[in-house]
Amino acid sequence: MSKCPFCKLEVNLDSVQREKKGIGIFKQETLYYCPHCQSILGFSRGKYTS
Ligand SMILES: [Zn+2]
């Protein structure tokens, strides 16, 4: 579990909002949004690691 650094509410894998961006299979990133305040928490390539 982690907390959103912006609104301090709990964010977990079930509630986090994801948006895949990218073209093709080689350049694909996933953006993670806080479900409470819609702030961007980060992005990753592939699996969510935190
Ligand atoms: Zn938040």
Side-chain angles (χ1 to χ4, degrees):
M1 296 306 115
S2 59
K3 288 188 177 182
C4 173
F6 303 101
C7 65
K8 313 298 183 187
L9 294 173
E10 284 195 7
V11 177
N12 60 48
L13 279 178
D14 292 328
S15 65
V16 73
Q17 297 190 10
R18 279 160 264 191
E19 182 177 328
K20 285 202 171 188
K21 289 183 179 288
I23 301 169
I25 59 172
F26 295 110
K27 186 178 181 184
Q28 190 171 68
E29 295 177 344
T30 303
L31 282 169
Y32 297 96
Y33 294 93
C34 173
H36 308 291
C37 66
Q38 310 301 313
S39 295
I40 295 174
L41 299 176
F43 62 91
S44 71
R45 295 163 193 267
K47 284 192 171 184
Y48 189 69
T49 54
S50 62

mmCIF file of all heavy atoms in Angstrom:
data_model
loop_
_atom_site.group_PDB
_atom_site.id
_atom_site.type_symbol
_atom_site.label_atom_id
_atom_site.label_comp_id
_atom_site.label_asym_id
_atom_site.label_seq_id
_atom_site.Cartn_x
_atom_site.Cartn_y
_atom_site.Cartn_z
ATOM 1 N N MET A 1 0.825 -1.192 0.000
ATOM 2 C CA MET A 1 0.000 0.000 0.000
ATOM 3 C C MET A 1 0.868 1.255 0.000
ATOM 4 O O MET A 1 1.966 1.269 0.531
ATOM 5 C CB MET A 1 -0.892 0.031 1.246
ATOM 6 C CG MET A 1 -1.905 -1.115 1.298
ATOM 7 S SD MET A 1 -2.948 -1.264 -0.154
ATOM 8 C CE MET A 1 -2.387 -2.849 -0.764
ATOM 9 N N SER A 2 0.368 2.275 -0.606
ATOM 10 C CA SER A 2 1.094 3.537 -0.597
ATOM 11 C C SER A 2 0.089 4.678 -0.489
ATOM 12 O O SER A 2 -1.109 4.485 -0.637
ATOM 13 C CB SER A 2 1.928 3.682 -1.864
ATOM 14 O OG SER A 2 1.099 3.638 -2.991
ATOM 15 N N LYS A 3 0.625 5.848 -0.215
ATOM 16 C CA LYS A 3 -0.247 7.012 -0.092
ATOM 17 C C LYS A 3 0.065 8.019 -1.170
ATOM 18 O O LYS A 3 1.225 8.211 -1.539
ATOM 19 C CB LYS A 3 -0.086 7.655 1.294
ATOM 20 C CG LYS A 3 -0.706 6.836 2.387
ATOM 21 C CD LYS A 3 -0.689 7.592 3.708
ATOM 22 C CE LYS A 3 -1.387 6.783 4.797
ATOM 23 N NZ LYS A 3 -1.419 7.517 6.086
ATOM 24 N N CYS A 4 -0.967 8.642 -1.622
ATOM 25 C CA CYS A 4 -0.789 9.704 -2.593
ATOM 26 C C CYS A 4 -0.036 10.862 -1.934
ATOM 27 O O CYS A 4 -0.429 11.323 -0.861
ATOM 28 C CB CYS A 4 -2.164 10.164 -3.069
ATOM 29 S SG CYS A 4 -2.089 11.606 -4.129
ATOM 30 N N PRO A 5 1.034 11.338 -2.554
ATOM 31 C CA PRO A 5 1.797 12.445 -1.964
ATOM 32 C C PRO A 5 1.065 13.779 -2.050
ATOM 33 O O PRO A 5 1.462 14.741 -1.415
ATOM 34 C CB PRO A 5 3.080 12.457 -2.793
ATOM 35 C CG PRO A 5 2.693 11.867 -4.099
ATOM 36 C CD PRO A 5 1.630 10.844 -3.780
ATOM 37 N N PHE A 6 -0.013 13.816 -2.806
ATOM 38 C CA PHE A 6 -0.723 15.070 -3.013
ATOM 39 C C PHE A 6 -1.884 15.233 -2.048
ATOM 40 O O PHE A 6 -2.049 16.255 -1.418
ATOM 41 C CB PHE A 6 -1.212 15.171 -4.453
ATOM 42 C CG PHE A 6 -0.089 15.059 -5.444
ATOM 43 C CD1 PHE A 6 0.149 13.865 -6.112
ATOM 44 C CD2 PHE A 6 0.746 16.139 -5.682
ATOM 45 C CE1 PHE A 6 1.195 13.751 -7.017
ATOM 46 C CE2 PHE A 6 1.805 16.034 -6.580
ATOM 47 C CZ PHE A 6 2.027 14.840 -7.241
ATOM 48 N N CYS A 7 -2.706 14.201 -1.918
ATOM 49 C CA CYS A 7 -3.884 14.319 -1.061
ATOM 50 C C CYS A 7 -3.788 13.438 0.176
ATOM 51 O O CYS A 7 -4.674 13.452 1.010
ATOM 52 C CB CYS A 7 -5.149 14.000 -1.853
ATOM 53 S SG CYS A 7 -5.256 12.285 -2.431
ATOM 54 N N LYS A 8 -2.699 12.657 0.271
ATOM 55 C CA LYS A 8 -2.426 11.832 1.460
ATOM 56 C C LYS A 8 -3.421 10.710 1.698
ATOM 57 O O LYS A 8 -3.512 10.172 2.797
ATOM 58 C CB LYS A 8 -2.336 12.690 2.738
ATOM 59 C CG LYS A 8 -1.480 13.922 2.606
ATOM 60 C CD LYS A 8 -0.045 13.582 2.297
ATOM 61 C CE LYS A 8 0.799 14.861 2.254
ATOM 62 N NZ LYS A 8 2.169 14.612 1.787
ATOM 63 N N LEU A 9 -4.199 10.385 0.695
ATOM 64 C CA LEU A 9 -5.119 9.273 0.838
ATOM 65 C C LEU A 9 -4.474 8.000 0.330
ATOM 66 O O LEU A 9 -3.561 8.031 -0.488
ATOM 67 C CB LEU A 9 -6.407 9.559 0.065
ATOM 68 C CG LEU A 9 -7.248 10.714 0.605
ATOM 69 C CD1 LEU A 9 -8.412 11.020 -0.334
ATOM 70 C CD2 LEU A 9 -7.770 10.397 1.997
ATOM 71 N N GLU A 10 -4.974 6.893 0.809
ATOM 72 C CA GLU A 10 -4.388 5.619 0.421
ATOM 73 C C GLU A 10 -4.715 5.258 -1.022
ATOM 74 O O GLU A 10 -5.828 5.444 -1.496
ATOM 75 C CB GLU A 10 -4.888 4.502 1.342
ATOM 76 C CG GLU A 10 -4.225 4.545 2.697
ATOM 77 C CD GLU A 10 -4.429 3.251 3.466
ATOM 78 O OE1 GLU A 10 -4.968 2.274 2.912
ATOM 79 O OE2 GLU A 10 -4.035 3.227 4.636
ATOM 80 N N VAL A 11 -3.702 4.748 -1.653
ATOM 81 C CA VAL A 11 -3.846 4.308 -3.030
ATOM 82 C C VAL A 11 -3.343 2.877 -3.103
ATOM 83 O O VAL A 11 -2.283 2.555 -2.579
ATOM 84 C CB VAL A 11 -3.017 5.195 -3.980
ATOM 85 C CG1 VAL A 11 -3.107 4.688 -5.412
ATOM 86 C CG2 VAL A 11 -3.477 6.641 -3.886
ATOM 87 N N ASN A 12 -4.109 2.020 -3.702
ATOM 88 C CA ASN A 12 -3.640 0.657 -3.869
ATOM 89 C C ASN A 12 -3.853 0.192 -5.297
ATOM 90 O O ASN A 12 -4.429 0.907 -6.125
ATOM 91 C CB ASN A 12 -4.298 -0.276 -2.855
ATOM 92 C CG ASN A 12 -5.803 -0.280 -3.005
ATOM 93 O OD1 ASN A 12 -6.317 -0.419 -4.102
ATOM 94 N ND2 ASN A 12 -6.514 -0.121 -1.900
ATOM 95 N N LEU A 13 -3.405 -0.976 -5.561
ATOM 96 C CA LEU A 13 -3.452 -1.489 -6.932
ATOM 97 C C LEU A 13 -4.868 -1.643 -7.468
ATOM 98 O O LEU A 13 -5.095 -1.565 -8.660
ATOM 99 C CB LEU A 13 -2.736 -2.841 -7.005
ATOM 100 C CG LEU A 13 -1.219 -2.784 -7.095
ATOM 101 C CD1 LEU A 13 -0.658 -4.195 -7.099
ATOM 102 C CD2 LEU A 13 -0.776 -2.056 -8.351
ATOM 103 N N ASP A 14 -5.801 -1.858 -6.564
ATOM 104 C CA ASP A 14 -7.179 -2.041 -7.024
ATOM 105 C C ASP A 14 -7.845 -0.722 -7.379
ATOM 106 O O ASP A 14 -8.735 -0.666 -8.211
ATOM 107 C CB ASP A 14 -8.002 -2.748 -5.945
ATOM 108 C CG ASP A 14 -7.539 -4.184 -5.755
ATOM 109 O OD1 ASP A 14 -7.095 -4.791 -6.739
ATOM 110 O OD2 ASP A 14 -7.620 -4.670 -4.631
ATOM 111 N N SER A 15 -7.399 0.340 -6.705
ATOM 112 C CA SER A 15 -8.079 1.614 -6.924
ATOM 113 C C SER A 15 -7.328 2.571 -7.830
ATOM 114 O O SER A 15 -7.896 3.512 -8.339
ATOM 115 C CB SER A 15 -8.356 2.298 -5.579
ATOM 116 O OG SER A 15 -7.142 2.633 -4.952
ATOM 117 N N VAL A 16 -6.050 2.330 -8.001
ATOM 118 C CA VAL A 16 -5.280 3.243 -8.830
ATOM 119 C C VAL A 16 -5.788 3.219 -10.261
ATOM 120 O O VAL A 16 -6.227 2.188 -10.771
ATOM 121 C CB VAL A 16 -3.768 2.904 -8.773
ATOM 122 C CG1 VAL A 16 -3.442 1.640 -9.554
ATOM 123 C CG2 VAL A 16 -2.933 4.064 -9.282
ATOM 124 N N GLN A 17 -5.759 4.356 -10.870
ATOM 125 C CA GLN A 17 -6.230 4.440 -12.237
ATOM 126 C C GLN A 17 -5.043 4.398 -13.183
ATOM 127 O O GLN A 17 -4.051 5.088 -12.992
ATOM 128 C CB GLN A 17 -7.022 5.731 -12.447
ATOM 129 C CG GLN A 17 -8.256 5.754 -11.574
ATOM 130 C CD GLN A 17 -9.174 6.906 -11.930
ATOM 131 O OE1 GLN A 17 -9.002 7.577 -12.927
ATOM 132 N NE2 GLN A 17 -10.169 7.125 -11.095
ATOM 133 N N ARG A 18 -5.193 3.562 -14.168
ATOM 134 C CA ARG A 18 -4.089 3.349 -15.102
ATOM 135 C C ARG A 18 -4.480 3.797 -16.503
ATOM 136 O O ARG A 18 -5.626 3.639 -16.901
ATOM 137 C CB ARG A 18 -3.732 1.869 -15.153
ATOM 138 C CG ARG A 18 -2.837 1.443 -13.996
ATOM 139 C CD ARG A 18 -2.902 -0.036 -13.779
ATOM 140 N NE ARG A 18 -3.875 -0.311 -12.722
ATOM 141 C CZ ARG A 18 -4.016 -1.492 -12.145
ATOM 142 N NH1 ARG A 18 -3.304 -2.508 -12.525
ATOM 143 N NH2 ARG A 18 -4.886 -1.651 -11.180
ATOM 144 N N GLU A 19 -3.529 4.275 -17.192
ATOM 145 C CA GLU A 19 -3.778 4.624 -18.590
ATOM 146 C C GLU A 19 -2.571 4.234 -19.405
ATOM 147 O O GLU A 19 -1.461 4.695 -19.146
ATOM 148 C CB GLU A 19 -4.043 6.118 -18.717
ATOM 149 C CG GLU A 19 -4.345 6.528 -20.138
ATOM 150 C CD GLU A 19 -4.671 8.012 -20.249
ATOM 151 O OE1 GLU A 19 -5.243 8.574 -19.297
ATOM 152 O OE2 GLU A 19 -4.335 8.592 -21.273
ATOM 153 N N LYS A 20 -2.808 3.380 -20.346
ATOM 154 C CA LYS A 20 -1.681 2.943 -21.164
ATOM 155 C C LYS A 20 -1.450 3.902 -22.320
ATOM 156 O O LYS A 20 -2.373 4.339 -22.985
ATOM 157 C CB LYS A 20 -1.930 1.530 -21.710
ATOM 158 C CG LYS A 20 -1.748 0.480 -20.640
ATOM 159 C CD LYS A 20 -1.463 -0.875 -21.248
ATOM 160 C CE LYS A 20 -1.067 -1.869 -20.152
ATOM 161 N NZ LYS A 20 -0.610 -3.138 -20.724
ATOM 162 N N LYS A 21 -0.202 4.218 -22.490
ATOM 163 C CA LYS A 21 0.173 5.069 -23.599
ATOM 164 C C LYS A 21 1.283 4.400 -24.360
ATOM 165 O O LYS A 21 2.074 3.658 -23.807
ATOM 166 C CB LYS A 21 0.667 6.430 -23.090
ATOM 167 C CG LYS A 21 -0.445 7.294 -22.532
ATOM 168 C CD LYS A 21 0.110 8.639 -22.122
ATOM 169 C CE LYS A 21 -0.973 9.547 -21.583
ATOM 170 N NZ LYS A 21 -1.862 10.032 -22.648
ATOM 171 N N GLY A 22 1.345 4.704 -25.617
ATOM 172 C CA GLY A 22 2.433 4.130 -26.377
ATOM 173 C C GLY A 22 1.960 3.604 -27.707
ATOM 174 O O GLY A 22 0.782 3.388 -27.937
ATOM 175 N N ILE A 23 2.911 3.425 -28.529
ATOM 176 C CA ILE A 23 2.626 2.925 -29.865
ATOM 177 C C ILE A 23 3.377 1.620 -30.039
ATOM 178 O O ILE A 23 4.584 1.554 -29.808
ATOM 179 C CB ILE A 23 3.070 3.940 -30.935
ATOM 180 C CG1 ILE A 23 2.337 5.273 -30.719
ATOM 181 C CG2 ILE A 23 2.806 3.388 -32.332
ATOM 182 C CD1 ILE A 23 2.903 6.400 -31.567
ATOM 183 N N GLY A 24 2.678 0.584 -30.404
ATOM 184 C CA GLY A 24 3.343 -0.683 -30.618
ATOM 185 C C GLY A 24 3.694 -1.362 -29.304
ATOM 186 O O GLY A 24 3.231 -0.979 -28.234
ATOM 187 N N ILE A 25 4.503 -2.345 -29.392
ATOM 188 C CA ILE A 25 4.834 -3.138 -28.208
ATOM 189 C C ILE A 25 6.161 -2.761 -27.599
ATOM 190 O O ILE A 25 6.484 -3.174 -26.500
ATOM 191 C CB ILE A 25 4.840 -4.647 -28.536
ATOM 192 C CG1 ILE A 25 5.850 -4.961 -29.624
ATOM 193 C CG2 ILE A 25 3.442 -5.119 -28.907
ATOM 194 C CD1 ILE A 25 6.046 -6.452 -29.860
ATOM 195 N N PHE A 26 6.943 -1.964 -28.281
ATOM 196 C CA PHE A 26 8.274 -1.647 -27.775
ATOM 197 C C PHE A 26 8.308 -0.391 -26.918
ATOM 198 O O PHE A 26 9.114 -0.250 -26.031
ATOM 199 C CB PHE A 26 9.264 -1.507 -28.929
ATOM 200 C CG PHE A 26 9.465 -2.789 -29.665
ATOM 201 C CD1 PHE A 26 8.976 -2.949 -30.946
ATOM 202 C CD2 PHE A 26 10.118 -3.854 -29.051
ATOM 203 C CE1 PHE A 26 9.146 -4.140 -31.628
ATOM 204 C CE2 PHE A 26 10.288 -5.048 -29.720
ATOM 205 C CZ PHE A 26 9.805 -5.201 -31.013
ATOM 206 N N LYS A 27 7.397 0.512 -27.199
ATOM 207 C CA LYS A 27 7.371 1.727 -26.413
ATOM 208 C C LYS A 27 5.994 1.880 -25.793
ATOM 209 O O LYS A 27 5.103 2.469 -26.373
ATOM 210 C CB LYS A 27 7.714 2.936 -27.290
ATOM 211 C CG LYS A 27 7.854 4.221 -26.491
ATOM 212 C CD LYS A 27 8.242 5.374 -27.380
ATOM 213 C CE LYS A 27 8.406 6.647 -26.545
ATOM 214 N NZ LYS A 27 8.680 7.810 -27.399
ATOM 215 N N GLN A 28 5.826 1.295 -24.656
ATOM 216 C CA GLN A 28 4.542 1.375 -23.996
ATOM 217 C C GLN A 28 4.753 1.745 -22.533
ATOM 218 O O GLN A 28 5.520 1.117 -21.821
ATOM 219 C CB GLN A 28 3.822 0.040 -24.099
ATOM 220 C CG GLN A 28 2.380 0.141 -23.634
ATOM 221 C CD GLN A 28 1.625 -1.126 -23.959
ATOM 222 O OE1 GLN A 28 1.871 -2.173 -23.410
ATOM 223 N NE2 GLN A 28 0.678 -1.023 -24.866
ATOM 224 N N GLU A 29 4.066 2.779 -22.124
ATOM 225 C CA GLU A 29 4.175 3.229 -20.748
ATOM 226 C C GLU A 29 2.795 3.228 -20.121
ATOM 227 O O GLU A 29 1.800 3.423 -20.796
ATOM 228 C CB GLU A 29 4.760 4.647 -20.701
ATOM 229 C CG GLU A 29 6.188 4.698 -21.211
ATOM 230 C CD GLU A 29 6.727 6.110 -21.230
ATOM 231 O OE1 GLU A 29 5.916 7.038 -21.144
ATOM 232 O OE2 GLU A 29 7.950 6.262 -21.330
ATOM 233 N N THR A 30 2.763 3.000 -18.837
ATOM 234 C CA THR A 30 1.505 3.056 -18.121
ATOM 235 C C THR A 30 1.554 4.205 -17.126
ATOM 236 O O THR A 30 2.448 4.274 -16.298
ATOM 237 C CB THR A 30 1.241 1.747 -17.373
ATOM 238 O OG1 THR A 30 1.257 0.669 -18.300
ATOM 239 C CG2 THR A 30 -0.109 1.779 -16.684
ATOM 240 N N LEU A 31 0.599 5.097 -17.239
ATOM 241 C CA LEU A 31 0.493 6.199 -16.302
ATOM 242 C C LEU A 31 -0.425 5.790 -15.159
ATOM 243 O O LEU A 31 -1.425 5.116 -15.363
ATOM 244 C CB LEU A 31 -0.087 7.428 -16.994
ATOM 245 C CG LEU A 31 0.883 8.216 -17.869
ATOM 246 C CD1 LEU A 31 0.098 9.239 -18.685
ATOM 247 C CD2 LEU A 31 1.926 8.918 -17.024
ATOM 248 N N TYR A 32 -0.063 6.237 -13.952
ATOM 249 C CA TYR A 32 -0.878 5.929 -12.788
ATOM 250 C C TYR A 32 -1.441 7.216 -12.200
ATOM 251 O O TYR A 32 -0.697 8.147 -11.926
ATOM 252 C CB TYR A 32 -0.033 5.203 -11.732
ATOM 253 C CG TYR A 32 0.466 3.887 -12.235
ATOM 254 C CD1 TYR A 32 1.733 3.764 -12.781
ATOM 255 C CD2 TYR A 32 -0.346 2.758 -12.168
ATOM 256 C CE1 TYR A 32 2.191 2.550 -13.261
ATOM 257 C CE2 TYR A 32 0.102 1.539 -12.643
ATOM 258 C CZ TYR A 32 1.366 1.443 -13.187
ATOM 259 O OH TYR A 32 1.811 0.242 -13.660
ATOM 260 N N TYR A 33 -2.747 7.202 -12.017
ATOM 261 C CA TYR A 33 -3.409 8.365 -11.461
ATOM 262 C C TYR A 33 -3.981 8.041 -10.096
ATOM 263 O O TYR A 33 -4.516 6.962 -9.873
ATOM 264 C CB TYR A 33 -4.593 8.788 -12.342
ATOM 265 C CG TYR A 33 -4.216 9.282 -13.713
ATOM 266 C CD1 TYR A 33 -4.181 8.424 -14.799
ATOM 267 C CD2 TYR A 33 -3.913 10.626 -13.910
ATOM 268 C CE1 TYR A 33 -3.856 8.883 -16.067
ATOM 269 C CE2 TYR A 33 -3.575 11.089 -15.169
ATOM 270 C CZ TYR A 33 -3.555 10.223 -16.243
ATOM 271 O OH TYR A 33 -3.229 10.666 -17.488
ATOM 272 N N CYS A 34 -3.919 9.027 -9.211
ATOM 273 C CA CYS A 34 -4.607 8.906 -7.938
ATOM 274 C C CYS A 34 -6.109 8.918 -8.189
ATOM 275 O O CYS A 34 -6.618 9.790 -8.879
ATOM 276 C CB CYS A 34 -4.218 10.070 -7.033
ATOM 277 S SG CYS A 34 -5.166 10.102 -5.512
ATOM 278 N N PRO A 35 -6.843 7.951 -7.634
ATOM 279 C CA PRO A 35 -8.290 7.900 -7.845
ATOM 280 C C PRO A 35 -9.040 8.987 -7.079
ATOM 281 O O PRO A 35 -10.221 9.206 -7.306
ATOM 282 C CB PRO A 35 -8.679 6.501 -7.350
ATOM 283 C CG PRO A 35 -7.638 6.169 -6.341
ATOM 284 C CD PRO A 35 -6.363 6.824 -6.834
ATOM 285 N N HIS A 36 -8.358 9.644 -6.151
ATOM 286 C CA HIS A 36 -9.018 10.643 -5.310
ATOM 287 C C HIS A 36 -8.875 12.058 -5.876
ATOM 288 O O HIS A 36 -9.828 12.816 -5.924
ATOM 289 C CB HIS A 36 -8.438 10.602 -3.899
ATOM 290 C CG HIS A 36 -8.443 9.232 -3.296
ATOM 291 N ND1 HIS A 36 -9.597 8.586 -2.937
ATOM 292 C CD2 HIS A 36 -7.424 8.379 -3.025
ATOM 293 C CE1 HIS A 36 -9.270 7.376 -2.451
ATOM 294 N NE2 HIS A 36 -7.974 7.234 -2.497
ATOM 295 N N CYS A 37 -7.673 12.386 -6.280
ATOM 296 C CA CYS A 37 -7.428 13.757 -6.734
ATOM 297 C C CYS A 37 -6.975 13.822 -8.185
ATOM 298 O O CYS A 37 -6.722 14.898 -8.701
ATOM 299 C CB CYS A 37 -6.406 14.433 -5.819
ATOM 300 S SG CYS A 37 -4.749 13.714 -5.897
ATOM 301 N N GLN A 38 -6.852 12.676 -8.825
ATOM 302 C CA GLN A 38 -6.504 12.594 -10.243
ATOM 303 C C GLN A 38 -5.083 13.047 -10.550
ATOM 304 O O GLN A 38 -4.742 13.320 -11.688
ATOM 305 C CB GLN A 38 -7.502 13.401 -11.105
ATOM 306 C CG GLN A 38 -8.961 13.092 -10.831
ATOM 307 C CD GLN A 38 -9.310 11.632 -11.054
ATOM 308 O OE1 GLN A 38 -8.948 11.052 -12.064
ATOM 309 N NE2 GLN A 38 -9.995 11.035 -10.112
ATOM 310 N N SER A 39 -4.267 13.170 -9.518
ATOM 311 C CA SER A 39 -2.890 13.546 -9.772
ATOM 312 C C SER A 39 -2.123 12.371 -10.362
ATOM 313 O O SER A 39 -2.384 11.216 -10.034
ATOM 314 C CB SER A 39 -2.208 13.982 -8.473
ATOM 315 O OG SER A 39 -2.808 15.152 -7.980
ATOM 316 N N ILE A 40 -1.179 12.701 -11.187
ATOM 317 C CA ILE A 40 -0.352 11.653 -11.757
ATOM 318 C C ILE A 40 0.674 11.211 -10.721
ATOM 319 O O ILE A 40 1.456 12.006 -10.214
ATOM 320 C CB ILE A 40 0.348 12.155 -13.027
ATOM 321 C CG1 ILE A 40 -0.712 12.468 -14.098
ATOM 322 C CG2 ILE A 40 1.330 11.114 -13.540
ATOM 323 C CD1 ILE A 40 -0.127 13.122 -15.344
ATOM 324 N N LEU A 41 0.638 9.939 -10.396
ATOM 325 C CA LEU A 41 1.551 9.404 -9.387
ATOM 326 C C LEU A 41 2.863 8.963 -10.001
ATOM 327 O O LEU A 41 3.888 8.884 -9.327
ATOM 328 C CB LEU A 41 0.900 8.212 -8.689
ATOM 329 C CG LEU A 41 -0.409 8.539 -7.956
ATOM 330 C CD1 LEU A 41 -1.003 7.268 -7.382
ATOM 331 C CD2 LEU A 41 -0.181 9.549 -6.855
ATOM 332 N N GLY A 42 2.814 8.636 -11.263
ATOM 333 C CA GLY A 42 4.041 8.194 -11.908
ATOM 334 C C GLY A 42 3.720 7.368 -13.121
ATOM 335 O O GLY A 42 2.570 7.211 -13.505
ATOM 336 N N PHE A 43 4.746 6.835 -13.695
ATOM 337 C CA PHE A 43 4.532 5.966 -14.828
ATOM 338 C C PHE A 43 5.572 4.878 -14.805
ATOM 339 O O PHE A 43 6.598 4.971 -14.132
ATOM 340 C CB PHE A 43 4.578 6.742 -16.144
ATOM 341 C CG PHE A 43 5.902 7.395 -16.423
ATOM 342 C CD1 PHE A 43 6.869 6.708 -17.135
ATOM 343 C CD2 PHE A 43 6.157 8.677 -15.976
ATOM 344 C CE1 PHE A 43 8.092 7.306 -17.390
ATOM 345 C CE2 PHE A 43 7.381 9.286 -16.224
ATOM 346 C CZ PHE A 43 8.359 8.595 -16.938
ATOM 347 N N SER A 44 5.289 3.823 -15.492
ATOM 348 C CA SER A 44 6.246 2.742 -15.543
ATOM 349 C C SER A 44 6.125 2.030 -16.869
ATOM 350 O O SER A 44 5.150 2.171 -17.590
ATOM 351 C CB SER A 44 6.014 1.760 -14.399
ATOM 352 O OG SER A 44 4.826 1.047 -14.626
ATOM 353 N N ARG A 45 7.126 1.259 -17.141
ATOM 354 C CA ARG A 45 7.082 0.406 -18.309
ATOM 355 C C ARG A 45 6.897 -1.010 -17.785
ATOM 356 O O ARG A 45 7.692 -1.490 -16.990
ATOM 357 C CB ARG A 45 8.403 0.493 -19.077
ATOM 358 C CG ARG A 45 8.656 1.864 -19.655
ATOM 359 C CD ARG A 45 10.114 2.025 -20.030
ATOM 360 N NE ARG A 45 10.436 3.426 -20.307
ATOM 361 C CZ ARG A 45 10.393 3.980 -21.511
ATOM 362 N NH1 ARG A 45 10.079 3.253 -22.553
ATOM 363 N NH2 ARG A 45 10.687 5.240 -21.684
ATOM 364 N N GLY A 46 5.832 -1.627 -18.194
ATOM 365 C CA GLY A 46 5.601 -2.976 -17.714
ATOM 366 C C GLY A 46 4.903 -2.977 -16.373
ATOM 367 O O GLY A 46 3.950 -2.246 -16.169
ATOM 368 N N LYS A 47 5.412 -3.763 -15.461
ATOM 369 C CA LYS A 47 4.709 -3.993 -14.208
ATOM 370 C C LYS A 47 4.787 -2.815 -13.241
ATOM 371 O O LYS A 47 5.751 -2.069 -13.208
ATOM 372 C CB LYS A 47 5.263 -5.233 -13.500
ATOM 373 C CG LYS A 47 4.792 -6.510 -14.145
ATOM 374 C CD LYS A 47 5.117 -7.698 -13.249
ATOM 375 C CE LYS A 47 4.465 -8.952 -13.784
ATOM 376 N NZ LYS A 47 4.678 -10.102 -12.897
ATOM 377 N N TYR A 48 3.754 -2.750 -12.449
ATOM 378 C CA TYR A 48 3.708 -1.773 -11.358
ATOM 379 C C TYR A 48 4.609 -2.272 -10.243
ATOM 380 O O TYR A 48 4.492 -3.402 -9.788
ATOM 381 C CB TYR A 48 2.274 -1.663 -10.864
ATOM 382 C CG TYR A 48 2.024 -0.539 -9.886
ATOM 383 C CD1 TYR A 48 2.089 0.775 -10.299
ATOM 384 C CD2 TYR A 48 1.698 -0.829 -8.562
ATOM 385 C CE1 TYR A 48 1.840 1.806 -9.407
ATOM 386 C CE2 TYR A 48 1.453 0.191 -7.676
ATOM 387 C CZ TYR A 48 1.519 1.509 -8.088
ATOM 388 O OH TYR A 48 1.277 2.516 -7.208
ATOM 389 N N THR A 49 5.561 -1.471 -9.800
ATOM 390 C CA THR A 49 6.618 -2.014 -8.958
ATOM 391 C C THR A 49 6.595 -1.536 -7.520
ATOM 392 O O THR A 49 7.447 -1.944 -6.745
ATOM 393 C CB THR A 49 7.992 -1.667 -9.559
ATOM 394 O OG1 THR A 49 8.070 -0.268 -9.774
ATOM 395 C CG2 THR A 49 8.206 -2.400 -10.869
ATOM 396 N N SER A 50 5.694 -0.677 -7.130
ATOM 397 C CA SER A 50 5.775 -0.190 -5.757
ATOM 398 C C SER A 50 4.610 -0.649 -4.893
ATOM 399 O O SER A 50 3.692 -1.252 -5.364
ATOM 400 C CB SER A 50 5.809 1.334 -5.726
ATOM 401 O OG SER A 50 4.619 1.836 -6.274
HETATM 402 ZN ZN ZN B 1 -4.386 12.004 -4.457
#
